[in-house]
Amino acid sequence: MITELGHFALILAFVIAIVQMVVPLVGAHFRWPGWMSVAEPAAQAQFFFTGFAFMALMWAFITSDFSLRLVALNSHSAKPMLYKISGTWGNHEGSMLLWVLIVSLFGAVASVFGGGLPPTLKARVLAVQASIGVAFFAFILFTSNPFLRLAVPPFDGQGLNPLLQDPGLAFHPPFLYLGYVGLSMAFSFAVAALIEGRVDAAWGRWVRPWTLAAWIFLTIGIALGSWWAYYELGWGGFWFWDPVENASFMPWLLAAALLHSAIVVEKRESLKSWTILLAILAFGFSLIGTFIVRSGLLTSVHAFASDPERGVFILYILAFFTGGALLLFALRAQAMQAKGVFGLVSRETALVANNVLLAVSCFVVFFGTLWPVVAEMAFDRKLSVGPPFFNAAFSPFMVLLGIILPVGAMLPWKRGLVGRTAWRLRFVFALAVALGVLAWAMQTGRSGLGPIGLFLGVWMVVGAFADLWLRGGATGRFRRMLRLPRADWGKTLAHAGLGVTIFAIAGLTAWQDEDIRVAELNKPFVVGAYTLELQNVRRVQGPNYRSTMADVEVTRAGRFVALLNPEKRDYPVSRMPTTEAAIDYRILRDLYVVIGDQQANGGWTVRTYIKPLANWIWGGCLLMALGGLLSLTDRRFRVAAGARRTPREGVPAE
């Protein structure tokens, strides 16, 4: 009964989304307040009914209702409760229901907290947001209905993909979708502004918190996915330039560019056309990511579905929204004339450089991701574009971005002097160079990647905090620093987090040790500064799997370090093996051990990695997200920040 109610609620939400798409848009065109006011209750009702449908599907997974086709294909009665719940979105149909739930959530939040928006703009924003919901409601109901019943329910289900039975993957998709779909609000603001024919400083203030929220969620989602790949897949890496990894990374790059571009619109009323274009492209790349994951166009361990029919439907959605928005952008180009004028050397120019580097790096990733498909279709050649291409093509843009970031963040608006600003950072530069040279001198037989990464990391982290320090003045420095806006502190933490991540990636890539061997029981072997001994391999029964577990003792200079238990698991229901790495986490390094197959001589294949600074990668990502969250709490950047303030007596309005 609950399942049928959920199905009915989903259909009702679809109908309400159609009403929300049409009525407020007509009302805004004719300036009819009653019609425009429909948008707010419709957005909230749409979220309520979509949420009910999602909870009904989750209840079916929790209670193991195998009469529901989706539950029978993606769950099992023996699964732990966490994975029964996460199974709700651990499949194509359920994940798309989560997608539309988040679309409706952002619309509902905008309806509640958008009180400062002009009525016509608010009505159009909510109408455009509803149109996105309509497209995906139709996609779910006509091609991917999660509420289909089975005529003859099985006794038990087929189980969830074992790779998804992990806490990291339980939380990774919701955060990623909050970021993906959150960019739909920036898209809705952009299209609504194009329809109105007005983009001004207030619009820049309105669009920034939505973009910032989406960027925060994307940062957390990507970090969780990277961490999961690191410890769960057993190959020792945190990033493989997999097509689906790239699908989430490209919108993140464009969202970062959009954030910085919107600052120029707000402060100087410049870069209007570019900012609108970024808002369209950022959401467009989110749709491209959805297409890649679900069309079968590119193979990936992360892919949800490989149904070409569904892929074509998503391709139509992508073409309609992105193509339609770009057409409207071309027609309204004359309405986005820049007002602010700035010099060649200024903070505006630095932000333009930031945008160019982020956008170009995004298109480099896009080219590398889709080129194998283009080559096969156009030239009948099978090509593989892997990490060597991406590392070589992408890294220079990030290095250049890291170099200009501290100086660009300190340049004054309108016009400035590079020499004067760089001179203020002379001690930071000297410290970064000294530590980079020290790292080069201490390493033997290594590349320059590690020292360059250390230089960039110190330059960006210390440079970010030096900006706050210098703004504190000569007297009462700490008091003035603490009184700076939260957005300034957030910017500092985000830039520092990027510096930490760049240094950690460079250090791990340059300084890691790797060892692959056939280890025999009770025969120690040395990897780097550590001695490892395979003491035992035993069979273990898990809650819904059987495991081959090893006991590996690690010592250093005769002192006990850790007892690690790498595993090979076999899930009888899905008949799929997985590798579970054992990791000894430390502040400066990880010791990573993987057990392989038994060999003819009785030994076992053992892979060992010593990974310096591994945890700093995700620490830097969390620092970036924390910086974004701190900025989001700044009163100037809240959703209603665009509301016109009443000037206090005796104080001129801004």
Side-chain angles (χ1 to χ4, degrees):
M1 182 63 182
I2 293 179
T3 301
E4 278 67 33
L5 288 175
H7 193 185
F8 179 74
L10 186 62
I11 297 172
L12 194 56
F14 179 35
V15 174
I16 292 171
I18 295 174
V19 173
Q20 182 187 337
M21 176 181 66
V22 176
V23 175
L25 207 57
V26 175
H29 180 73
F30 291 103
R31 300 296 195 272
W32 294 342
W35 286 46
M36 288 190 289
S37 65
V38 170
E40 297 179 23
Q44 294 161 26
Q46 183 194 149
F47 171 64
F48 173 79
F49 286 111
T50 309
F52 184 88
F54 186 80
M55 295 306 295
L57 183 63
M58 183 180 292
W59 180 253
F61 272 88
I62 291 174
T63 58
S64 296
D65 181 3
F66 299 118
S67 67
L68 207 63
R69 178 177 178 274
L70 191 65
V71 179
L73 291 176
N74 296 280
S75 190
H76 190 273
S77 58
K79 275 200 319 182
M81 181 56 67
L82 174 62
Y83 305 130
K84 287 186 178 181
I85 294 173
S86 63
T88 310
W89 56 81
N91 55 81
H92 168 70
E93 292 84 354
S95 65
M96 290 311 305
L97 185 55
L98 177 63
W99 177 283
V100 294
L101 175 65
I102 296 174
V103 169
S104 63
L105 168 64
F106 274 91
V109 172
S111 72
V112 173
F113 294 102
L117 295 170
T120 55
L121 180 63
K122 184 176 182 179
R124 285 172 172 140
V125 167
L126 293 178
V128 175
Q129 187 73 5
S131 69
I132 298 170
V134 168
F136 282 97
F137 278 124
F139 175 71
I140 291 175
L141 290 170
F142 298 140
T143 72
S144 309
N145 195 329
F147 293 106
L148 296 179
R149 291 282 193 182
L150 292 173
V152 182
F155 178 75
D156 217 329
Q158 296 182 16
L160 182 67
N161 185 333
L163 290 175
L164 303 181
Q165 296 186 40
D166 181 86
L169 257 290
F171 300 105
H172 160 65
F175 276 104
L176 204 60
Y177 281 17
L178 284 165
Y180 265 153
V181 184
L183 290 173
S184 66
M185 279 308 301
F187 175 86
S188 297
F189 268 95
V191 173
L194 289 173
I195 295 173
E196 288 215 341
R198 188 183 72 174
V199 179
D200 53 16
W203 180 89
R205 285 196 298 272
W206 289 323
V207 79
R208 280 182 66 194
W210 296 105
T211 307
L212 182 57
W215 182 84
I216 292 169
F217 287 126
L218 260 179
T219 302
I220 297 173
I222 292 172
L224 284 173
S226 173
W227 182 47
W228 167 81
Y230 173 70
Y231 70 79
E232 177 65 24
L233 297 182
W235 54 282
F238 64 93
W239 196 261
F240 193 62
W241 295 105
D242 177 270
V244 177
E245 291 177 335
N246 295 347
S248 61
F249 189 46
M250 291 184 289
W252 184 89
L253 292 168
L254 290 178
L258 175 58
L259 274 176
H260 293 85
S261 181
I263 296 173
V264 183
V265 175
E266 178 187 350
K267 300 291 186 182
R268 303 288 302 147
E269 293 211 36
S270 296
L271 301 185
K272 294 179 182 180
S273 298
W274 175 244
T275 305
I276 291 286
L277 182 61
L278 280 176
I280 295 170
L281 291 179
F283 181 60
F285 271 88
S286 293
L287 294 178
I288 289 173
T290 305
F291 173 69
I292 289 174
V293 173
R294 301 168 196 280
S295 65
L297 182 69
L298 296 168
T299 57
S300 167
V301 69
H302 306 79
F304 271 115
S306 57
D307 186 346
E309 181 182 350
R310 292 171 176 174
V312 170
F313 199 118
I314 295 175
L315 193 60
Y316 286 148
I317 295 175
L318 169 65
F320 176 79
F321 284 101
T322 307
L326 290 175
L327 177 61
L328 184 59
F329 173 80
L331 295 174
R332 292 288 195 175
Q334 73 280 0
M336 294 177 287
Q337 298 298 323
K339 294 182 180 179
V341 178
F342 54 88
L344 182 61
V345 178
S346 62
R347 185 175 297 187
E348 293 93 327
T349 302
L351 289 170
V352 169
N354 161 287
N355 270 228
V356 170
L357 290 170
L358 288 171
V360 172
S361 62
C362 172
F363 282 99
V364 166
V365 176
F366 178 70
F367 174 82
T369 303
L370 291 187
W371 179 246
V373 178
V374 174
E376 185 173 358
M377 293 176 62
F379 309 112
D380 196 26
R381 295 180 59 189
K382 290 188 177 295
L383 299 176
S384 177
V385 178
F389 165 80
F390 289 106
N391 292 337
F394 179 81
S395 300
F397 297 105
M398 291 297 103
V399 171
L400 190 56
L401 179 65
I403 290 172
I404 69 173
L405 196 60
V407 176
M410 293 178 63
L411 281 171
W413 293 102
K414 199 171 182 179
R415 64 179 59 90
L417 295 172
V418 172
R420 179 181 298 176
T421 304
W423 180 252
R424 301 176 71 191
L425 290 169
R426 62 191 183 279
F427 296 117
V428 178
F429 182 78
L431 176 64
V433 169
L435 291 177
V437 170
L438 179 63
W440 175 267
M442 292 180 64
Q443 68 178 16
T444 55
R446 306 276 188 171
S447 70
L449 182 61
I452 291 173
L454 179 57
F455 163 76
L456 281 176
V458 174
W459 171 242
M460 294 175 68
V461 173
V462 182
F465 284 99
D467 184 18
L468 289 181
W469 177 262
L470 293 171
R471 291 176 61 185
T475 59
R477 186 184 301 273
F478 290 104
R479 184 173 66 254
R480 290 188 181 185
M481 287 175 62
L482 293 175
R483 292 176 62 184
L484 288 173
R486 292 181 185 176
D488 292 348
W489 278 94
K491 178 189 74 172
T492 297
L493 291 180
H495 288 181
L498 179 60
V500 170
T501 300
I502 288 176
F503 166 53
I505 291 173
L508 187 151
T509 305
W511 298 327
Q512 73 172 344
D513 286 322
E514 179 180 355
D515 179 86
I516 304 176
R517 67 175 65 220
V518 176
E520 298 183 19
L521 292 176
N522 302 315
K523 289 189 176 181
F525 57 94
V526 176
V527 180
Y530 298 92
T531 301
L532 290 82
E533 181 180 344
L534 180 62
Q535 296 182 333
N536 188 25
V537 179
R538 62 188 190 278
R539 309 294 179 183
V540 176
Q541 180 64 48
N544 62 332
Y545 61 84
R546 294 186 294 267
S547 170
T548 300
M549 180 182 293
D551 297 327
V552 180
E553 184 182 72
V554 182
T555 59
R556 180 172 183 174
R559 300 180 60 183
F560 176 80
V561 174
L563 181 64
L564 300 180
N565 301 110
E567 299 179 65
K568 286 179 64 69
R569 293 179 180 177
D570 178 64
Y571 290 79
V573 174
S574 60
R575 299 178 182 178
M576 181 176 178
T578 65
T579 299
E580 303 291 324
I583 306 174
D584 179 42
Y585 295 99
R586 299 296 169 98
I587 294 177
L588 295 179
R589 63 96 184 123
D590 283 354
L591 188 60
Y592 187 109
V593 179
V594 178
I595 187 74
D597 297 324
Q598 189 172 21
Q599 303 300 307
N601 64 353
W604 294 80
T605 302
V606 175
R607 283 184 290 132
T608 307
Y609 303 89
I610 300 174
K611 294 187 167 291
L613 307 172
N615 293 311
W616 290 38
I617 296 174
W618 303 291
C621 292
L622 293 179
L623 195 60
M624 283 189 275
L626 179 61
L629 185 61
L630 191 60
S631 293
L632 199 59
T633 62
D634 192 307
R635 65 180 181 85
R636 299 176 300 169
F637 305 139
R638 291 173 188 161
V639 174
R644 188 179 301 278
R645 292 185 293 248
T646 302
R648 292 175 293 177
E649 184 178 354
V651 179
E654 295 181 352

